[in-house]
Amino acid sequence: GRMYAAGSDTVRIALIGCGGQGTRDLISCVKSSPGVEIVAMGDLFEDRLQESCDKLSKDVPEAMKVTPDKRFVGFDAYKKVLACDLHMVLLVAPPHWRAEHFQAAVEAGKHVFMEKPGGVDPKGIRSLIRTAELAKQKGLSVVAGTQRRHSKKYREIIRRIHDGQIGEIVAGQ
């Protein structure tokens, strides 16, 4: 609710990573505030992109403004998405791409929502930290999908585990 487009009440957003989680995140984003438009999408796989477009057209048709020329497929799809006229991008491709996509988004001057995890190895995490500093210097907002850490029901379960209410934990998956 704190991000506004200069000279307009419309916030143009894009999605990189069009699987189920990315599509759900995008729907939640659109429904969170008025004036949000989806203007570009990219994925490695064309079928994922098409499935996401179909679901978005059904669930949030008023916000779905992605024209065929703003639907990108392939390893460089993220670069093409970031070259579009948009304010914010959701980074929801598999996490081994997160650091590269995050750096490209911040360098392109885009606000970012990214799913967890932020990285899968020390090199990626160090890259995220450097890119977060750059985002701060540029005045860009960065949000990570850590909603479960704040959910009352999850916090209650963790409290019960820590209090020993389920007994000694001997394994986990």
Side-chain angles (χ1 to χ4, degrees):
R2 294 185 349 169
M3 181 172 51
Y4 298 95
S8 171
D9 290 334
T10 301
V11 177
R12 294 181 309 278
I13 62 174
L15 176 63
I16 297 171
C18 300
Q21 186 65 50
T23 303
R24 287 187 299 275
D25 284 350
L26 196 53
I27 290 169
S28 293
C29 183
V30 166
K31 290 183 175 184
S32 73
S33 303
V36 177
E37 293 182 350
I38 308 161
V39 298
M41 296 171 65
D43 197 274
L44 182 58
F45 302 105
E46 189 168 358
D47 61 331
R48 286 288 197 167
L49 177 64
Q50 187 58 54
E51 288 171 16
S52 183
C53 287
D54 292 346
K55 179 147 182 67
L56 293 165
S57 294
K58 179 181 170 231
D59 290 3
V60 287
E62 68 287 347
M64 186 57 170
K65 308 291 184 186
V66 183
T67 57
D69 63 319
K70 300 296 185 218
R71 297 175 185 180
F72 306 104
V73 175
F75 286 103
D76 64 345
Y78 76 99
K79 293 177 183 177
K80 294 174 181 176
V81 168
L82 294 171
C84 294
D85 182 21
L86 56 106
H87 302 109
M88 183 181 89
V89 62
L90 285 75
L91 304 179
V92 198
H96 56 275
W97 298 109
R98 193 84 68 236
E100 183 177 349
H101 291 177
F102 181 45
Q103 181 178 347
V106 169
E107 287 174 353
K110 311 303 183 193
H111 298 278
V112 173
F113 168 85
M114 64 178 142
E115 270 299 350
K116 64 207 167 303
V120 296
D121 57 23
K123 180 181 176 186
I125 296 300
R126 285 191 294 274
S127 173
L128 249 63
I129 292 167
R130 284 190 307 273
T131 301
E133 284 300 318
L134 179 60
K136 187 175 181 180
Q137 291 169 13
K138 288 185 161 200
L140 297 172
S141 299
V142 177
V143 177
T146 57
Q147 75 283 0
R148 289 194 176 158
R149 290 172 177 81
H150 306 287
S151 169
K152 287 182 183 181
K153 64 183 178 181
Y154 284 93
R155 289 176 32 217
E156 176 62 19
I157 292 296
I158 293 299
R159 184 191 65 75
R160 289 180 182 195
I161 291 169
H162 289 170
D163 288 349
Q165 293 181 19
I166 68 166
E168 182 184 354
I169 298 175
V170 295
Q173 182 176 351

